[in-house]
Amino acid sequence: QVTEAGQMLATLHEALADYPHRIDGGRTTHQEQLVHNDSRSANILHDGTSITAVLDFEDVTYRSRVADLAKATVLLGTRYHDWGPTSQIAREAFVAAYHDQAPLTIAEQNELESGITAILKKFGWT
């Protein structure tokens, strides 16, 4: 499921990058695009064999795909209570699946690592 979630986020990012309309008057910069901004297990429906839906697009915004990937990597396992960071093993599998679907440059990989660290710190998980 973690691998599928990584692949799904990469596919979603590709689709949202091509979205032709602006939302809420938002504007993109060179590195920004439309992103989900709340990709976590509580917003991914899985029927036991595959992902069937992605929910909760109310936080959609313009950011870099790497910033969204960093946030999703740390928060993937969160639900509605007892929040904690996604395990290191699951984070690595999630990012590897994303990278297989939508490869990251070396600069993006470095940005991802610092983004993950910042999210962990923000929630007091470091």
Side-chain angles (χ1 to χ4, degrees):
Q1 290 177 346
V2 169
T3 298
E4 282 185 85
Q7 294 167 340
M8 177 276 311
L9 185 60
T11 300
L12 183 60
H13 281 166
E14 290 169 359
L16 290 174
D18 292 335
Y19 187 71
H21 306 287
R22 297 285 166 233
I23 61 165
D24 293 335
R27 298 180 189 267
T28 63
T29 65
H30 176 67
Q31 302 259 327
E32 291 182 330
Q33 68 169 69
L34 200 57
V35 296
H36 187 276
N37 200 35
D38 195 17
S39 295
R40 56 193 184 92
S41 62
N43 294 328
I44 301 170
L45 297 184
H46 198 284
D47 69 2
T49 58
S50 63
I51 293 173
T52 58
V54 177
L55 308 174
D56 194 6
F57 282 80
E58 71 183 39
D59 290 333
V60 169
T61 192
Y62 293 96
R63 298 176 74 193
S64 74
R65 72 181 181 128
V66 175
D68 194 46
L69 175 59
K71 184 176 179 182
T73 299
V74 173
L75 299 181
L76 181 65
T78 60
R79 294 252 177 201
Y80 297 104
H81 54 80
D82 300 327
W83 278 42
T86 304
S87 72
Q88 182 68 34
I89 292 170
R91 289 196 308 256
E92 289 171 4
F94 181 71
V95 170
Y98 183 99
H99 182 72
D100 286 347
Q101 184 86 17
L104 300 168
T105 66
I106 297 296
E108 288 175 322
Q109 291 174 35
N110 292 335
E111 180 186 342
L112 177 62
E113 288 305 314
S114 61
I116 288 171
T117 300
I119 298 292
L120 287 166
K121 189 178 265 186
K122 175 183 175 181
F123 284 92
W125 293 332
T126 57

